[in-house]
Amino acid sequence: MTEARTQIPDAEEIARLRRARAEKTGRWLMPLLTIALALAIWDRIVVWNEIPHYILPGPGLVARTLVEDWAILGPATWVTLKIAMMALVVAVIGGVSLAVLFSLSRWAEMSFYPFAVILQVTPVVAIAPLIFIYVENRTIGLLLCAWIVAFFPILSNTSLGLRSVDRNLADLYRIYGASRWQRLIHLQLPSALPYFLGGLRIAGGLSLIGAVVAEYVAGTAGIGTGLAFRILEAGYRLNIPRMFAALVLIAVLGVLIFAVLSLISHLALRHWHESALKKES
Amino acid sequence: MRMDGVGKVFAGEVTALSDMNLTLAEGEFVSLLGPSGCGKSTALRLIAGLMQPTTGKVSWQGRHDTGDLGVVFQEPTLMPWATVEKNVWLPLRLRGEKLDAMRPRIREALDMVGLGKFANAYPRELSGGMKMRVSIARALVTQPRLILMDEPFAALDEITRNRMNDDLLALRGRLGCTVIFVTHSVFESVYLSDRIVVMAPRPGRVAEEVTVTAANRDQDFRTSADYAGLCRAVSAALSRATGDT
């Protein structure tokens, strides 16, 4: 690159740089354009076919509903986000500590890993009704459901990472007389970090799905206030625009969670891990 | 450091090493030379204490603590998440030493391998040769009395490799530590060592020993008739060792 600055680059290099620049702007511009286009088509379909709003509202109406019903939808978003995030935190704590336990004891892994798998492969919609029978507190029930969905990717990825230690480095630690604890803290946990962060990104999305699904199952019993509850409620009242508005909010939440977790992952790994390095020419 | 009749048999009755005898003098540079499967790496792992011998005994009277031994592997084996400085700190850190207190020593070790300016770089920012230097600095930082090197320069290009050989000789001249150097390069072993232990495969064992005496090891030595003669002798020993199985 420094060569290119001091000397005149040839035509091929100039073309390559121009392509790289175009791609950089395109990465932002293209999704925005396609989304705008999709909204415009949606709007035209609704207007030209004179579809009534209780069947398919146009994007304008959905946006207006979003603003007008914010007093209802805002707090609901907050409730759903809170459940999802709490579940994610518990999933991280539970997943990582279980992974560490498994790495410390082969016997613990052999004994308990099957339970984790069973919990993972059983659909949460099927477990949730039971949970709401046994767990009195609705928030804790929701949390439990979201946690069941979110914790497995963290557990399995972190377990994999803790086992993926460079053999020579492990030998080196032995030669220098490292304790089990030192090996865990200074060698295994940093080695597992990229794997953990990969799991975290998956778990972030899953915790939101878990929170929403659990809320559906919990239904209108009790004092429901999350987004899923608002969708159910709006459905009973045939308030289709509000259903769309709540759906938009859930999608936005999911994208936000993914973006934040990606950023965290990038910040944590940018100095050393291949996945976070900029592509070099 | 001495090995008396040391043998190692792995499960499945694979004899990796049989009846190896080796005595090291203080300050000696010994190469273990042989084809793959001759047990040189097994010998190194036994000396490092990463394995226990099936027969015989590995004894080292001079060893008092973990810092007396330094190890350099074929790969640089650095922690990618830690800076150069923190990688070199590792052996000291595992003994409970704080980074701030150890900084002068780490700096000294890095200066010795010519990387004083790179303390805060991450391994990925360094070339293959520089990573190897960090690995050597890490081995030196405890001021070890014995250094084990397992084909440390095998993955480097020849130009880098020759420079590393010269630098290693210079370092050793300054520090006077004992070195066991595993290699499969005849030229490298002749250039570096006081003594070459030629090993034979299946089962891994010591075949012959060649002693190298040279006043100065430099570019002149590398082009001298003595050097060529020694290389021929070692090559012949090596083909005898591999041929008679």
Side-chain angles (χ1 to χ4, degrees):
Chain A
M1 287 303 265
T2 46
E3 295 289 303
R5 250 176 246 132
T6 51
Q7 291 175 5
I8 300 161
D10 57 34
E12 194 191 350
E13 271 299 282
I14 293 174
R16 199 183 59 76
L17 286 176
R18 193 176 301 145
R19 258 202 317 276
R21 224 173 300 144
E23 206 174 294
K24 212 173 169 187
T25 38
R27 194 158 295 160
W28 289 101
L29 205 58
M30 289 316 287
L32 288 180
L33 279 178
T34 46
I35 289 171
L37 188 68
L39 288 177
I41 292 172
W42 174 10
D43 181 58
R44 285 304 96 191
I45 289 173
V46 171
V47 173
W48 286 337
N49 296 309
E50 293 171 357
I51 301 173
H53 66 79
Y54 51 83
I55 293 182
L56 179 64
L61 179 59
V62 172
R64 221 177 311 132
T65 313
L66 207 51
V67 177
E68 280 165 10
D69 291 358
W70 185 249
I72 295 165
L73 292 176
T77 309
W78 177 237
V79 167
T80 302
L81 180 65
K82 220 163 53 183
I83 296 282
M85 289 302 94
M86 270 155 64
L88 186 61
V89 169
V90 181
V92 167
I93 295 169
V96 171
S97 22
L98 217 53
V100 167
L101 177 71
F102 286 178
S103 93
L104 291 175
S105 160
R106 273 280 214 225
W107 292 100
E109 181 175 2
M110 285 187 263
S111 317
F112 295 117
Y113 197 71
F115 285 98
V117 174
I118 291 168
L119 214 55
Q120 164 67 13
V121 295
T122 315
V124 70
V125 225
I127 312 175
L130 278 175
I131 289 177
F132 287 110
I133 291 173
Y134 295 124
V135 180
E136 290 264 335
N137 187 310
R138 199 163 172 281
T139 309
I140 290 178
L142 290 174
L143 203 57
L144 205 58
C145 291
W147 174 80
I148 287 173
V149 188
F151 105 108
F152 191 76
I154 295 197
L155 169 66
S156 66
N157 272 32
T158 311
S159 281
L160 180 66
L162 290 172
R163 267 183 271 131
S164 311
V165 167
D166 181 302
R167 270 166 194 276
N168 284 334
L169 268 175
D171 281 347
L172 202 69
Y173 270 68
R174 267 183 69 195
I175 288 169
Y176 287 124
S179 64
R180 190 71 195 80
W181 182 248
Q182 283 177 319
R183 210 170 83 107
L184 178 69
I185 297 292
H186 300 314
L187 182 60
Q188 286 184 291
L189 286 179
S191 299
L193 188 63
Y195 295 83
F196 162 75
L197 289 168
L200 184 66
R201 260 190 294 185
I202 301 171
L206 288 179
S207 68
L208 181 64
I209 293 175
V212 169
V213 167
E215 226 178 277
Y216 269 106
V217 176
T220 45
I223 28 155
T225 44
L227 276 177
F229 173 80
R230 290 300 174 198
I231 290 181
L232 278 178
E233 184 193 50
Y236 295 142
R237 296 176 188 172
L238 282 181
N239 189 344
I240 312 295
R242 191 187 284 174
M243 288 175 85
F244 268 93
L247 199 60
V248 167
L249 284 172
I250 290 177
V252 168
L253 271 190
V255 172
L256 270 182
I257 290 172
F258 184 80
V260 168
L261 294 180
S262 296
L263 182 70
I264 290 174
S265 169
H266 177 78
L267 291 178
L269 301 179
R270 67 187 154 160
H271 284 304
W272 62 279
H273 200 256
E274 297 296 332
S275 67
L277 301 183
K278 285 207 183 83
K279 267 187 233 146
E280 276 156 46
S281 54
Chain B
M1 206 297 299
R2 51 184 296 163
M3 298 170 83
D4 295 303
V6 168
K8 180 75 189 175
V9 181
F10 290 124
E13 293 179 15
V14 181
T15 307
L17 196 64
S18 78
D19 195 31
M20 182 171 179
N21 296 297
L22 181 70
T23 309
L24 284 182
E26 189 87 43
E28 201 178 14
F29 195 118
V30 174
S31 283
L32 304 183
L33 177 72
S36 41
C38 71
K40 25 186 216 305
S41 292
T42 306
L44 219 56
R45 291 178 69 82
L46 286 165
I47 297 168
L50 289 170
M51 287 181 195
Q52 293 305 314
T54 315
T55 58
K57 209 172 106 189
V58 179
S59 49
W60 180 11
Q61 289 178 341
R63 187 166 197 189
H64 300 300
D65 70 300
T66 53
D68 283 335
L69 182 72
V71 186
V72 180
F73 295 101
Q74 182 177 344
E75 307 294 325
T77 314
L78 303 176
M79 298 176 287
W81 56 84
T83 57
V84 164
E85 181 181 62
K86 286 186 179 153
N87 266 291
V88 176
W89 174 38
L90 176 73
L92 304 168
R93 180 187 207 177
L94 294 176
R95 292 201 305 216
E97 310 277 10
K98 292 270 171 287
L99 179 61
D100 285 329
M102 288 297 114
R103 229 175 226 125
R105 266 178 83 172
I106 295 167
R107 190 56 197 247
E108 195 189 2
L110 282 174
D111 282 336
M112 274 195 270
V113 297
L115 286 179
K117 289 200 195 92
F118 292 88
N120 292 316
Y122 282 86
R124 69 168 182 90
E125 297 167 300
L126 307 178
S127 68
M130 286 158 94
K131 281 183 206 160
M132 214 61 232
R133 286 167 189 275
V134 177
S135 188
I136 294 172
R138 180 180 58 196
L140 293 177
V141 78
T142 58
Q143 292 158 348
R145 304 186 44 207
L146 176 63
I147 299 183
L148 307 179
M149 303 182 103
D150 189 1
E151 301 187 31
F153 309 138
L156 302 179
D157 64 83
E158 191 164 345
I159 298 167
T160 314
R161 186 176 185 156
N162 287 345
R163 270 202 57 194
M164 296 292 289
N165 282 345
D166 286 331
D167 291 352
L168 180 62
L169 282 175
L171 270 177
R172 192 208 148 218
R174 235 162 79 199
L175 302 171
C177 45
T178 314
V179 181
I180 301 181
F181 191 93
V182 167
T183 181
H184 52 233
S185 160
V186 171
F187 307 107
E188 195 172 54
S189 67
V190 172
Y191 190 62
L192 294 172
S193 345
D194 299 320
R195 185 149 58 106
I196 300 165
V197 177
V198 180
M199 300 185 70
R202 283 175 294 272
R205 65 194 184 279
V206 174
E208 284 179 52
E209 288 196 10
V210 179
T211 310
V212 181
T213 39
N216 285 310
R217 289 164 198 267
D218 51 21
Q219 215 45 48
D220 289 341
F221 175 58
R222 211 175 239 156
T223 50
S224 70
D226 277 357
Y227 178 72
L230 279 163
C231 287
R232 213 172 303 129
V234 172
S235 295
L238 194 58
S239 30
R240 276 196 298 278
T242 40
D244 61 18
T245 50

